[in-house]
């Protein structure tokens, strides 16, 4: 009888330990908010594809901190992440950020339902704008001019990879060196 109760107690302890182990594993693997915890530049997640603003203050990069591939913006002067409302979406993958002089404009690629799109994000208006809706074929490797007027990228519209230059027009608000830092009051402090 004593042997039977020891065996029963051992089985119960093993089940309890196994259950706690599974709970711990689930918590450790669950996605987290990229703005929670320390906002250091590098993290335990994959941080890649860095792009530095012309004034050297902002760094845009791709990270999987939130469980998805998102573009994050880091203020090197304040040493904190900057909120980018409406830029990242849970059902899309973002890649290849490029950033204007003071970080007002961010150009990047996003893949949504298998369609690759070239997008411009304005930190002042907090609105993304699809730029390649008139192009046939694929796009890759976008880059924005320091003032934010021109966007260059590679396009396969002619059956080969060509360089396209997109002029956003003379009436676009330029991101100039003496412009005030956009969104400096909208920083997110973890």
């Amino acid at each position: 009888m004593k042997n039977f109760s020891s065996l029963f107690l051992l089985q119960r302890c093993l089940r309890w330990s196994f259950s706690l182990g599974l709970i711990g594993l689930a918590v450790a693997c669950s996605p987290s908010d990229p703005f929670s915890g320390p906002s250091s530049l590098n993290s335990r997640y994959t941080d890649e594809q860095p792009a530095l603003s012309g004034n050297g203050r902002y760094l845009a990069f791709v990270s999987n901190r939130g469980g998805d591939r998102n573009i994050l913006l880091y203020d090197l002067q304040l040493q904190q992440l900057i909120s980018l409302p409406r830029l990242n979406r849970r059902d899309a993958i973002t890649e290849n950020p490029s950033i204007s002089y003071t970080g007002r404009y961010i150009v990047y690629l996003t893949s949504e339902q298998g369609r690759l799109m070239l997008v411009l994000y304005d930190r002042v208006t907090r609105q993304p704008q699809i730029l390649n809706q008139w192009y046939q074929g694929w796009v890759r490797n976008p880059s924005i001019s320091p003032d934010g007027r021109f966007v260059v990228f590679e396009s396969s519209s002619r059956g080969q990879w060509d360089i396209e230059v997109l002029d956003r027009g003379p009436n676009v608000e330029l991101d100039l060196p003496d412009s005030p830092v956009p969104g400096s009051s909208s920083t997110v402090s973890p």
Side-chain angles (χ1 to χ4, degrees):
M1 187 75 153
K2 186 176 181 183
N3 211 3
F4 179 72
S5 52
S6 296
L7 185 58
F8 178 73
L9 183 60
L10 180 62
Q11 285 178 337
R12 237 175 135 188
C13 287
L14 286 175
R15 283 184 193 147
W16 182 254
S17 297
F18 183 73
S19 297
L20 285 177
L22 285 178
I23 291 170
L25 184 61
V27 168
C29 293
S30 63
S32 63
D33 180 6
F35 297 108
S36 66
S39 68
S40 65
L41 181 57
N42 293 304
S43 68
R44 64 185 175 111
Y45 299 98
T46 301
D47 297 329
E48 59 187 0
Q49 302 176 18
L52 188 63
S53 65
N55 65 1
R57 180 171 179 176
Y58 297 100
L59 179 67
F61 59 98
V62 176
S63 179
N64 69 347
R65 293 182 192 198
D68 296 317
R69 290 184 60 82
N70 292 317
I71 292 178
L72 300 181
L73 186 65
Y74 188 79
D75 185 326
L76 293 165
Q77 184 178 355
L78 298 176
Q79 296 185 356
Q80 65 184 20
L81 292 170
I82 304 299
S83 179
L84 299 172
R86 298 188 192 107
L87 187 143
N88 296 303
R89 295 181 43 185
R90 285 193 114 8
D91 58 346
I93 298 171
T94 56
E95 300 283 337
N96 301 105
S98 177
I99 188 169
S100 63
Y101 189 81
T102 66
R104 174 173 179 171
Y105 300 111
I106 302 171
V107 161
Y108 59 97
L109 294 176
T110 187
S111 178
E112 191 174 312
Q113 298 176 351
R115 171 128 168 84
L116 197 61
M117 294 180 285
L118 176 64
V119 180
L120 174 98
Y121 179 79
D122 184 342
R123 285 184 48 219
V124 172
T125 64
R126 298 178 174 190
Q127 293 295 323
Q129 174 188 5
I130 299 172
L131 298 178
N132 68 321
Q133 56 196 2
W134 299 281
Y135 287 92
Q136 299 295 320
W138 293 93
V139 294
R140 67 182 185 186
N141 298 322
S143 184
I144 192 164
S145 63
D147 66 4
R149 177 172 174 175
F150 298 96
V151 176
V152 296
F153 57 95
E154 296 173 39
S155 168
S156 68
S157 61
R158 295 182 333 133
Q160 65 184 27
W161 288 109
D162 292 316
I163 296 172
E164 304 277 353
V165 179
L166 176 67
D167 183 352
R168 295 181 54 222
N171 297 328
V172 69
E173 273 190 59
L174 298 179
D175 189 1
L176 300 173
D178 58 347
S179 300
V181 177
S184 59
S185 63
S186 65
T187 58
V188 173
S189 181

